[in-house]
Amino acid sequence: MGRALRGLLGAKPALTLWASPTGRALQTLAVIAEHLELDWHGAKTDPRLVEIDMGSWGGRYYADVIASAGPVVDRATGLLTPAPDGEIYPQIAERVSGWLGDTAGDPGDRLIIMHGISSRVMRGLMTGADSLPGFGAPAGPALTQGSVVMIEDGVETLVHLGTGYAPA
């Protein structure tokens, strides 16, 4: 991801670095920032960039949840079925929309490191996608972990296709 961004943006691009406050997102940001010759210590975090809250299903293996609740991944969209006490897609759209509005005035471009489902909703919002039936919010197409996209003027461009397993 860092090499792909370096090839596209060069060294020391004018970016505001943002990440989910989770450890794995911050680690990813640190590695990417090294490739871009940026100081990741100046990165900003926001809890609105975290992954979907899976409620009582959080921290459990998919197989265990499926055994007790049935299928949890919608085959048509690749989106997760929210837990009965978990976050629903309109709530994700509301929190990432708030973040987008609050950071719209950041200088330069924003480099955002976040998570699969929440990033799909953000990408859907940023590209003006329609709400998906049954989910109540837009979502960008599924991508493998480690993918990088650029969204400019509502148009999404794939910069790097990740090699991770799970679609995000």
Side-chain angles (χ1 to χ4, degrees):
M1 292 167 41
R3 281 191 300 270
L5 285 168
R6 174 67 179 250
L8 178 69
L9 303 173
K12 299 183 181 182
L15 296 174
T16 301
L17 303 177
W18 281 95
S20 159
T22 63
R24 63 186 175 148
L26 292 169
Q27 288 173 331
T28 300
L29 180 65
V31 172
I32 291 170
E34 274 188 38
H35 283 275
L36 297 175
E37 297 181 35
L38 297 173
D39 182 4
W40 73 273
H41 292 95
K44 300 176 183 183
T45 63
D46 194 298
R48 294 175 291 183
L49 300 176
V50 298
E51 184 56 298
I52 183 174
D53 179 352
M54 292 302 287
S56 59
W57 292 353
R60 296 177 60 196
Y61 291 107
Y62 279 111
D64 294 341
V65 173
I66 291 167
S68 66
V72 295
V73 177
D74 180 71
R75 289 189 183 268
T77 63
L79 294 173
L80 294 172
T81 300
D85 61 343
E87 186 176 33
I88 59 174
Y89 285 82
Q91 292 170 320
I92 299 170
E94 183 178 339
R95 74 172 153 85
V96 299
S97 288
W99 180 86
L100 284 166
D102 290 348
T103 62
D106 282 358
D109 294 321
R110 295 172 286 188
L111 173 64
I112 309 159
I113 306 299
M114 57 188 298
H115 310 277
I117 296 297
S118 294
S119 71
R120 287 186 63 188
V121 173
M122 182 183 284
R123 291 169 38 230
L125 290 166
M126 292 178 75
T127 59
D130 292 330
S131 287
L132 295 173
F135 291 94
L143 294 169
T144 52
Q145 287 181 347
S147 295
V148 178
V149 299
M150 178 176 61
I151 301 175
E152 187 173 26
D153 297 325
V155 177
E156 180 177 79
T157 303
L158 182 65
V159 172
H160 173 74
L161 183 62
T163 58
Y165 169 71

